[in-house]
Amino acid sequence: MTRKIYPFYFIAIALGIYIIFTVVPSLMGIYLSFTDWNSYSREVHFIGLDNFKTIFSSNENYMHGINNTVIFTISTIVLKTMIGLLLAILVNKGIRLKNFHRVILFLPAIIPMLVVGIIFKSIFNPEYGLINEVLRALGLNQWTQHWLTDVNWAFKSIIAVDVWKGAGYIMVILLAGIQAISHSYYEAADIDGAGAWKKFRFITVPLLMPALMVTTVLNLLYGLKIFDTVYVLTNGGPGYATDVVYTQVFSQFTLGSYGVGTALITVLFLIMTILGYFAIKLMSREEQNG
């Protein structure tokens, strides 16, 4: 079979738009991270690695934001994958009105983050919020918390809200993967006397790996760029307890310290590039093995 090679000009327009609106701004951003660009002066001077020294200095709070971003990313990848997989298995078969349940579970994914923030600020309210009211009704007053204003609970609450919003989306992808697995594998396992756990471990999980890799990469990229969930729930507070990289970038641009802000974005860009490279390489290996 011969492979037809299309002329280069077929992609010239798309490539030109990509270079103008993506590549050039990215390169400009990397260059500006090495400058003292700010809102107080029209002149921009090259200052070398000073912005990066500021970011990684122990006297500053930027490393805390990077650590929070990494913790958020890992936690949401694990929790969304586990809960999404469990939900996908439950709604795949064996329950009544499974299409209705699928819609209900996916619904949080399409609710705007601003609305989610308003709802959960009400639910987490320490005085009249739903969670504390339920705990008081059950006689568990000692378990009531200031969910969004307590340093020990604020970041965990943000992770919980994000998992609630995103687990349904992951469920849909994994459900499609489960339904693509041939029933003949399970029928053969039934003949061999395999139980539910062995079928899950030796059939479902291995054949679901491509879908799991896709959800992992999506969650990874989403987690590293997290901003809206933190901003609408705590805006980085109390203090700097829930700050992540993008809330810090937003703060720096608000203060007019554009050079430090672009340096933070450059650090995150490098982390995403490295992790994305290994993720794509791992996915390519899975496809070759498949």
Side-chain angles (χ1 to χ4, degrees):
M1 184 175 67
T2 59
R3 298 180 60 187
K4 186 176 181 179
I5 300 176
Y6 291 96
F8 175 76
Y9 58 78
F10 271 38
I11 64 167
I13 296 176
L15 185 62
I17 293 173
Y18 176 75
I19 290 173
I20 292 171
F21 292 104
T22 303
V23 177
V24 172
S26 298
L27 294 176
M28 288 178 64
I30 292 173
Y31 166 73
L32 290 170
S33 67
F34 294 95
T35 68
D36 63 351
W37 184 33
N38 61 76
S39 62
Y40 308 104
S41 173
R42 292 185 178 182
E43 296 182 357
V44 178
H45 303 98
F46 184 81
I47 57 172
L49 296 173
D50 286 1
N51 288 332
F52 295 94
K53 290 177 182 175
T54 302
I55 290 172
F56 292 107
S57 170
S58 58
N59 297 324
E60 301 290 343
N61 196 48
Y62 299 112
M63 283 304 298
H64 179 69
I66 295 173
N67 288 336
N68 274 352
T69 304
V70 173
I71 292 170
F72 178 89
T73 303
I74 295 172
S75 302
T76 53
I77 286 175
V78 174
L79 292 173
K80 284 181 187 176
T81 303
M82 291 176 63
I83 296 173
L85 180 57
L86 177 62
L87 294 175
I89 293 171
L90 289 176
V91 300
N92 185 42
K93 58 182 180 180
I95 61 170
R96 293 181 178 178
L97 301 173
K98 58 184 179 184
N99 288 331
F100 172 76
H101 287 95
R102 290 173 185 174
V103 172
I104 293 298
L105 291 170
F106 182 71
L107 199 59
I110 60 174
I111 299 176
M113 196 60 229
L114 185 60
V115 177
V116 172
I118 294 171
I119 293 172
F120 274 92
K121 276 190 173 181
S122 173
I123 291 174
F124 285 139
N125 188 287
E127 300 299 328
Y128 55 81
L130 176 65
I131 295 179
N132 281 357
E133 285 294 329
V134 170
L135 291 173
R136 291 190 191 101
L138 295 173
L140 301 172
N141 294 41
Q142 69 277 14
W143 286 15
T144 59
Q145 303 290 338
H146 289 70
W147 302 101
L148 294 177
T149 54
D150 187 323
V151 173
N152 296 317
W153 284 99
F155 200 59
K156 296 171 186 171
S157 301
I158 290 171
I159 291 173
V161 172
D162 194 77
V163 170
W164 172 83
K165 191 176 188 309
Y169 179 72
I170 300 303
M171 176 203 73
V172 171
I173 298 174
L174 296 181
L175 180 61
I178 290 174
Q179 291 181 339
I181 299 174
S182 172
H183 289 286
S184 61
Y185 294 110
Y186 295 106
E187 291 169 358
D190 287 333
I191 294 172
D192 291 337
W197 169 247
K198 285 189 175 179
K199 285 190 281 187
F200 172 76
R201 182 181 175 187
F202 295 109
I203 298 175
T204 305
V205 172
L207 295 178
L208 201 58
M209 280 307 293
L212 287 170
M213 284 303 304
V214 170
T215 58
T216 301
V217 172
L218 291 175
N219 282 329
L220 174 69
L221 298 178
Y222 171 82
L224 291 174
K225 295 189 297 182
I226 186 63
F227 171 74
D228 51 359
T229 310
V230 178
Y231 185 74
V232 299
L233 288 175
T234 64
N235 194 19
Y240 300 104
T242 60
D243 250 343
V244 291
V245 171
Y246 269 87
T247 56
Q248 292 178 325
V249 171
F250 182 77
S251 298
Q252 291 304 314
F253 273 80
T254 303
L255 296 171
S257 300
Y258 306 139
V260 177
T262 51
L264 275 167
I265 294 174
T266 301
V267 172
L268 192 62
F269 171 74
L270 290 174
I271 294 173
M272 291 177 69
T273 302
I274 294 169
L275 294 178
Y277 170 78
F278 285 109
I280 292 172
K281 196 170 183 180
L282 189 59
M283 289 176 69
S284 302
R285 186 184 300 174
E286 290 292 333
E287 288 179 0
Q288 289 173 1
N289 293 336

mmCIF file of all heavy atoms in Angstrom, residues 77 80-81 169-174 208-221 283:
data_model
loop_
_atom_site.group_PDB
_atom_site.id
_atom_site.type_symbol
_atom_site.label_atom_id
_atom_site.label_comp_id
_atom_site.label_asym_id
_atom_site.label_seq_id
_atom_site.Cartn_x
_atom_site.Cartn_y
_atom_site.Cartn_z
ATOM 1 N N ILE A 77 -5.313 12.977 40.990
ATOM 2 C CA ILE A 77 -5.133 11.872 40.031
ATOM 3 C C ILE A 77 -5.568 10.558 40.670
ATOM 4 O O ILE A 77 -6.350 9.787 40.099
ATOM 5 C CB ILE A 77 -3.662 11.787 39.558
ATOM 6 C CG1 ILE A 77 -3.336 12.915 38.590
ATOM 7 C CG2 ILE A 77 -3.405 10.437 38.875
ATOM 8 C CD1 ILE A 77 -1.877 12.957 38.189
ATOM 9 N N LYS A 80 -9.570 10.735 41.805
ATOM 10 C CA LYS A 80 -10.499 10.746 40.660
ATOM 11 C C LYS A 80 -10.455 9.413 39.916
ATOM 12 O O LYS A 80 -11.489 8.909 39.462
ATOM 13 C CB LYS A 80 -10.140 11.876 39.699
ATOM 14 C CG LYS A 80 -10.548 13.252 40.166
ATOM 15 C CD LYS A 80 -10.158 14.275 39.116
ATOM 16 C CE LYS A 80 -10.370 15.680 39.579
ATOM 17 N NZ LYS A 80 -9.897 16.683 38.594
ATOM 18 N N THR A 81 -9.252 8.839 39.768
ATOM 19 C CA THR A 81 -9.135 7.567 39.052
ATOM 20 C C THR A 81 -9.833 6.444 39.812
ATOM 21 O O THR A 81 -10.594 5.654 39.227
ATOM 22 C CB THR A 81 -7.654 7.207 38.830
ATOM 23 O OG1 THR A 81 -7.016 8.272 38.114
ATOM 24 C CG2 THR A 81 -7.516 5.917 38.043
ATOM 25 N N TYR A 169 -16.503 12.936 35.069
ATOM 26 C CA TYR A 169 -15.866 13.048 33.755
ATOM 27 C C TYR A 169 -14.930 11.863 33.507
ATOM 28 O O TYR A 169 -14.925 11.267 32.414
ATOM 29 C CB TYR A 169 -15.088 14.366 33.698
ATOM 30 C CG TYR A 169 -14.368 14.616 32.411
ATOM 31 C CD1 TYR A 169 -15.067 14.943 31.250
ATOM 32 C CD2 TYR A 169 -12.987 14.533 32.349
ATOM 33 C CE1 TYR A 169 -14.398 15.179 30.065
ATOM 34 C CE2 TYR A 169 -12.304 14.764 31.169
ATOM 35 C CZ TYR A 169 -13.017 15.090 30.035
ATOM 36 O OH TYR A 169 -12.346 15.316 28.856
ATOM 37 N N ILE A 170 -14.152 11.509 34.534
ATOM 38 C CA ILE A 170 -13.249 10.358 34.424
ATOM 39 C C ILE A 170 -14.053 9.075 34.270
ATOM 40 O O ILE A 170 -13.686 8.166 33.527
ATOM 41 C CB ILE A 170 -12.328 10.285 35.660
ATOM 42 C CG1 ILE A 170 -11.493 11.565 35.780
ATOM 43 C CG2 ILE A 170 -11.418 9.052 35.595
ATOM 44 C CD1 ILE A 170 -10.651 11.875 34.570
ATOM 45 N N MET A 171 -15.203 9.010 34.994
ATOM 46 C CA MET A 171 -16.072 7.825 34.904
ATOM 47 C C MET A 171 -16.509 7.578 33.464
ATOM 48 O O MET A 171 -16.522 6.423 32.999
ATOM 49 C CB MET A 171 -17.298 8.037 35.787
ATOM 50 C CG MET A 171 -18.319 6.918 35.699
ATOM 51 S SD MET A 171 -19.968 7.459 36.190
ATOM 52 C CE MET A 171 -20.444 8.482 34.777
ATOM 53 N N VAL A 172 -16.861 8.631 32.744
ATOM 54 C CA VAL A 172 -17.342 8.476 31.364
ATOM 55 C C VAL A 172 -16.260 7.864 30.474
ATOM 56 O O VAL A 172 -16.527 6.958 29.668
ATOM 57 C CB VAL A 172 -17.798 9.839 30.806
ATOM 58 C CG1 VAL A 172 -18.099 9.742 29.315
ATOM 59 C CG2 VAL A 172 -19.035 10.324 31.547
ATOM 60 N N ILE A 173 -15.022 8.342 30.617
ATOM 61 C CA ILE A 173 -13.919 7.809 29.793
ATOM 62 C C ILE A 173 -13.655 6.345 30.122
ATOM 63 O O ILE A 173 -13.504 5.500 29.230
ATOM 64 C CB ILE A 173 -12.645 8.650 30.016
ATOM 65 C CG1 ILE A 173 -12.875 10.093 29.570
ATOM 66 C CG2 ILE A 173 -11.466 8.044 29.259
ATOM 67 C CD1 ILE A 173 -11.735 11.023 29.878
ATOM 68 N N LEU A 174 -13.621 6.037 31.436
ATOM 69 C CA LEU A 174 -13.350 4.651 31.836
ATOM 70 C C LEU A 174 -14.515 3.729 31.490
ATOM 71 O O LEU A 174 -14.306 2.558 31.156
ATOM 72 C CB LEU A 174 -13.058 4.598 33.342
ATOM 73 C CG LEU A 174 -11.802 5.346 33.785
ATOM 74 C CD1 LEU A 174 -11.604 5.210 35.287
ATOM 75 C CD2 LEU A 174 -10.565 4.830 33.055
ATOM 76 N N LEU A 208 -7.889 -2.117 30.345
ATOM 77 C CA LEU A 208 -8.325 -0.736 30.544
ATOM 78 C C LEU A 208 -7.134 0.234 30.633
ATOM 79 O O LEU A 208 -7.317 1.443 30.788
ATOM 80 C CB LEU A 208 -9.149 -0.658 31.842
ATOM 81 C CG LEU A 208 -10.100 0.530 32.018
ATOM 82 C CD1 LEU A 208 -11.112 0.597 30.883
ATOM 83 C CD2 LEU A 208 -10.803 0.457 33.365
ATOM 84 N N MET A 209 -5.922 -0.288 30.542
ATOM 85 C CA MET A 209 -4.725 0.552 30.711
ATOM 86 C C MET A 209 -4.661 1.734 29.741
ATOM 87 O O MET A 209 -4.296 2.851 30.148
ATOM 88 C CB MET A 209 -3.461 -0.295 30.574
ATOM 89 C CG MET A 209 -3.109 -1.090 31.826
ATOM 90 S SD MET A 209 -3.026 -0.083 33.321
ATOM 91 C CE MET A 209 -1.614 0.928 32.947
ATOM 92 N N PRO A 210 -5.000 1.583 28.446
ATOM 93 C CA PRO A 210 -4.964 2.765 27.562
ATOM 94 C C PRO A 210 -5.884 3.879 28.057
ATOM 95 O O PRO A 210 -5.511 5.060 28.041
ATOM 96 C CB PRO A 210 -5.435 2.203 26.215
ATOM 97 C CG PRO A 210 -5.077 0.757 26.257
ATOM 98 C CD PRO A 210 -5.273 0.351 27.675
ATOM 99 N N ALA A 211 -7.105 3.513 28.493
ATOM 100 C CA ALA A 211 -8.030 4.534 29.013
ATOM 101 C C ALA A 211 -7.502 5.137 30.307
ATOM 102 O O ALA A 211 -7.635 6.351 30.542
ATOM 103 C CB ALA A 211 -9.409 3.908 29.231
ATOM 104 N N LEU A 212 -6.901 4.310 31.158
ATOM 105 C CA LEU A 212 -6.333 4.813 32.418
ATOM 106 C C LEU A 212 -5.177 5.778 32.152
ATOM 107 O O LEU A 212 -5.005 6.766 32.874
ATOM 108 C CB LEU A 212 -5.864 3.646 33.293
ATOM 109 C CG LEU A 212 -6.973 2.816 33.939
ATOM 110 C CD1 LEU A 212 -6.400 1.555 34.565
ATOM 111 C CD2 LEU A 212 -7.700 3.632 35.004
ATOM 112 N N MET A 213 -4.388 5.488 31.118
ATOM 113 C CA MET A 213 -3.292 6.389 30.772
ATOM 114 C C MET A 213 -3.831 7.732 30.292
ATOM 115 O O MET A 213 -3.302 8.797 30.634
ATOM 116 C CB MET A 213 -2.416 5.763 29.686
ATOM 117 C CG MET A 213 -1.489 4.665 30.169
ATOM 118 S SD MET A 213 -0.391 5.213 31.492
ATOM 119 C CE MET A 213 0.407 6.605 30.703
ATOM 120 N N VAL A 214 -4.895 7.700 29.504
ATOM 121 C CA VAL A 214 -5.498 8.948 29.018
ATOM 122 C C VAL A 214 -6.005 9.785 30.183
ATOM 123 O O VAL A 214 -5.745 10.996 30.267
ATOM 124 C CB VAL A 214 -6.645 8.642 28.029
ATOM 125 C CG1 VAL A 214 -7.430 9.903 27.717
ATOM 126 C CG2 VAL A 214 -6.099 8.033 26.753
ATOM 127 N N THR A 215 -6.730 9.153 31.110
ATOM 128 C CA THR A 215 -7.260 9.901 32.257
ATOM 129 C C THR A 215 -6.143 10.428 33.149
ATOM 130 O O THR A 215 -6.253 11.521 33.694
ATOM 131 C CB THR A 215 -8.209 9.022 33.083
ATOM 132 O OG1 THR A 215 -7.507 7.859 33.526
ATOM 133 C CG2 THR A 215 -9.413 8.613 32.279
ATOM 134 N N THR A 216 -5.063 9.653 33.269
ATOM 135 C CA THR A 216 -3.936 10.108 34.094
ATOM 136 C C THR A 216 -3.287 11.353 33.494
ATOM 137 O O THR A 216 -2.990 12.320 34.209
ATOM 138 C CB THR A 216 -2.888 8.987 34.230
ATOM 139 O OG1 THR A 216 -3.494 7.847 34.831
ATOM 140 C CG2 THR A 216 -1.714 9.440 35.089
ATOM 141 N N VAL A 217 -3.081 11.344 32.177
ATOM 142 C CA VAL A 217 -2.472 12.507 31.517
ATOM 143 C C VAL A 217 -3.390 13.722 31.621
ATOM 144 O O VAL A 217 -2.939 14.844 31.923
ATOM 145 C CB VAL A 217 -2.162 12.188 30.042
ATOM 146 C CG1 VAL A 217 -1.724 13.450 29.298
ATOM 147 C CG2 VAL A 217 -1.079 11.129 29.947
ATOM 148 N N LEU A 218 -4.698 13.516 31.398
ATOM 149 C CA LEU A 218 -5.648 14.628 31.506
ATOM 150 C C LEU A 218 -5.657 15.210 32.907
ATOM 151 O O LEU A 218 -5.635 16.439 33.098
ATOM 152 C CB LEU A 218 -7.057 14.154 31.123
ATOM 153 C CG LEU A 218 -7.293 13.809 29.655
ATOM 154 C CD1 LEU A 218 -8.694 13.241 29.462
ATOM 155 C CD2 LEU A 218 -7.100 15.041 28.774
ATOM 156 N N ASN A 219 -5.692 14.326 33.923
ATOM 157 C CA ASN A 219 -5.686 14.804 35.308
ATOM 158 C C ASN A 219 -4.372 15.488 35.668
ATOM 159 O O ASN A 219 -4.355 16.455 36.440
ATOM 160 C CB ASN A 219 -5.916 13.622 36.268
ATOM 161 C CG ASN A 219 -7.366 13.214 36.327
ATOM 162 O OD1 ASN A 219 -8.253 14.046 36.160
ATOM 163 N ND2 ASN A 219 -7.614 11.946 36.553
ATOM 164 N N LEU A 220 -3.268 14.971 35.106
ATOM 165 C CA LEU A 220 -1.958 15.564 35.374
ATOM 166 C C LEU A 220 -1.888 17.002 34.856
ATOM 167 O O LEU A 220 -1.497 17.926 35.584
ATOM 168 C CB LEU A 220 -0.875 14.710 34.715
ATOM 169 C CG LEU A 220 0.558 15.252 34.757
ATOM 170 C CD1 LEU A 220 1.078 15.216 36.193
ATOM 171 C CD2 LEU A 220 1.480 14.445 33.850
ATOM 172 N N LEU A 221 -2.280 17.189 33.608
ATOM 173 C CA LEU A 221 -2.229 18.530 33.016
ATOM 174 C C LEU A 221 -3.213 19.469 33.697
ATOM 175 O O LEU A 221 -2.912 20.644 33.928
ATOM 176 C CB LEU A 221 -2.519 18.441 31.515
ATOM 177 C CG LEU A 221 -1.509 17.620 30.699
ATOM 178 C CD1 LEU A 221 -1.920 17.559 29.243
ATOM 179 C CD2 LEU A 221 -0.114 18.213 30.826
ATOM 180 N N MET A 283 2.671 6.235 27.014
ATOM 181 C CA MET A 283 1.490 5.889 26.230
ATOM 182 C C MET A 283 1.878 5.248 24.900
ATOM 183 O O MET A 283 1.239 4.293 24.436
ATOM 184 C CB MET A 283 0.649 7.146 25.974
ATOM 185 C CG MET A 283 -0.049 7.673 27.204
ATOM 186 S SD MET A 283 -0.938 9.198 26.878
ATOM 187 C CE MET A 283 -2.248 8.612 25.832
#
